[in-house]
Amino acid sequence: MVRHTSGLAAGLPADDDVLLDVPDERLAPALVAAGRGEYEAAAKLLAATREAGEWENRDRYVTRLAAFARSRGEWFDDWRFAAPHDPDALLVKAELEVARGWESPARAELLREVTPLITAAAEGDPGDPVPWRVALDHARGTNASHTVFERLWAEAIRRSPHHYGCHVSALQYLSAAWYGSHRECFDFAERAAQDALPGSLVQALPVRAAFAYLTSEEGPGPAAKVPRERLDEAADLAIALSHEYAADDPWPAEVRNLLTYVLVRLERWSDALEQLRLTGPYASSFPWDRISDDPLGQFLELRDGVRIEVAAARPLGGRGTGRGSLASGSH
């Protein structure tokens, strides 16, 4: 095992080179400027995504800028004062207040007070699907009925039928942890993945359904049990998607991190090691923050554990299969 483990480090960046949630080359300058108290770069960036219909980028940038505004909000306060009707500022404000509401013990009550902000964001640009992703998150937190959810979902996909963020929010609503079931969650994910565009991250929805299942706090009864084959098929689809992107590409980094977690739980060690090599230096908070207060440390620890498992499965001069039985606990 010792003989193999050192060789398996090939293609993996050193621990010190791995970073958490690295912003891309467009978002990074906006965050740096916001850190100086300047909002103009963020405003220009979001306006560009809206005008070009770059909904996936827009969703990611809004989420990151809102998170930054939670800890350092002076720049955002200045933006809101200077342009109170700016559709981009309205969207960041809605995302910011929904995120704040989620962390309160009085979540449902506080989130209901945010409804006018989401409405304002949606009216700011009627063609933008991202406010409807915020609305879907909001619906989950306010115990909205399936009827309300379906209405919001229809509005979201009318604007962008293949928007990844909206699909993820819908998947969470339909999960067994919220208002659906494991079967409903998988059925939705598999249908969406089948209809997805080539290279779309929507193809990773089944592996997100697998994650929801594997991390379910309540052990599924016999009727709710998802067959191992369905979990493997979800992982295989995400592996195929991962191969459509170059190694060390930051765009699919979160999907690759998530896929690695699922592969580890399925004890598919060789496949997990391959994904870690493709991920390169781009660790993401999700999913590791679901199982540890130190997501970067958890990611690095898991990398070492996967290498050891692959080495242990390799006899001298041989190779392991990389597949095993379903792991029963978190790693």
Side-chain angles (χ1 to χ4, degrees):
M1 184 179 71
V2 171
R3 191 168 163 186
H4 286 309
T5 303
S6 58
L8 292 172
L12 295 176
D15 285 3
D16 290 344
D17 294 332
V18 178
L19 301 173
L20 190 69
D21 299 330
V22 177
D24 67 20
E25 68 279 359
R26 296 172 68 190
L27 177 61
L31 290 173
V32 170
R36 296 195 299 262
E38 303 164 3
Y39 67 84
E40 290 83 1
K44 184 177 180 180
L45 174 63
L46 290 186
T49 63
R50 176 168 45 84
E51 292 161 4
E54 297 177 22
W55 306 129
E56 304 292 2
N57 279 330
R58 181 172 176 80
D59 203 350
R60 290 192 181 198
Y61 297 160
V62 163
T63 302
R64 290 295 298 273
L65 288 167
F68 192 78
R70 289 190 67 186
S71 57
R72 300 183 64 178
E74 300 83 1
W75 65 276
F76 184 61
D77 293 338
D78 289 345
W79 184 10
R80 291 273 291 154
F81 181 78
H85 303 296
D86 184 327
D88 306 311
L90 289 171
L91 180 55
V92 174
K93 179 64 173 177
E95 170 69 22
L96 171 61
E97 295 305 328
V98 167
R100 281 177 173 158
W102 266 98
E103 295 188 359
S104 170
R107 179 175 62 206
E109 181 180 349
L110 284 179
L111 286 177
R112 289 189 187 100
E113 296 175 0
V114 179
T115 301
L117 293 175
I118 300 174
T119 301
E123 292 174 347
D125 183 351
D128 184 356
V130 182
W132 297 95
R133 190 273 300 161
V134 179
L136 287 165
D137 288 342
H138 179 262
R140 183 160 48 93
T142 54
N143 308 315
S145 68
H146 272 68
T147 300
V148 171
F149 162 78
E150 288 167 4
R151 179 179 60 79
L152 296 173
W153 173 243
E155 293 287 352
I157 61 173
R158 184 165 67 84
R159 288 159 174 81
S160 182
H162 305 289
H163 185 260
Y164 178 62
C166 289
H167 278 80
V168 170
S169 294
L171 186 76
Q172 291 174 315
Y173 181 94
L174 295 171
S175 70
W178 290 95
Y179 308 111
S181 65
H182 294 309
R183 176 176 295 179
E184 195 172 3
C185 186
F186 267 91
D187 288 348
F188 172 83
E190 290 166 354
R191 283 195 305 270
Q194 188 173 20
D195 295 338
L197 299 173
S200 169
L201 297 185
V202 172
Q203 293 179 43
L205 284 183
V207 89
R208 289 193 77 110
F211 173 80
Y213 173 75
L214 293 170
T215 56
S216 177
E217 293 183 0
E218 298 179 3
K225 190 170 178 64
V226 176
R228 167 68 191 236
E229 293 75 17
R230 202 170 190 181
L231 299 173
D232 278 323
E233 287 171 3
D236 291 341
L237 182 60
I239 288 172
L241 173 65
S242 177
H243 284 159
E244 295 189 40
Y245 292 89
D248 298 350
D249 185 341
W251 178 256
E254 183 181 278
V255 165
R256 283 172 169 163
N257 277 251
L258 175 65
L259 172 57
T260 299
Y261 175 90
V262 170
L263 290 169
V264 166
R265 290 293 305 273
L266 297 177
E267 296 184 351
R268 292 174 55 172
W269 307 112
S270 295
D271 288 336
L273 183 59
E274 178 190 29
Q275 291 306 313
L276 287 167
R277 289 197 176 107
L278 291 171
T279 301
Y282 297 111
S284 60
S285 290
F286 177 79
W288 315 115
D289 59 1
R290 301 300 191 271
I291 55 176
S292 172
D293 292 332
D294 177 14
L296 179 57
Q298 179 68 43
F299 175 82
L300 296 174
E301 182 181 338
L302 177 128
R303 285 202 321 170
D304 291 340
V306 169
R307 287 169 51 206
I308 291 170
E309 291 286 354
V310 173
R314 285 187 179 180
L316 290 179
R319 294 177 65 93
T321 64
R323 285 200 183 199
S325 61
L326 177 63
S328 59
S330 296
H331 290 255

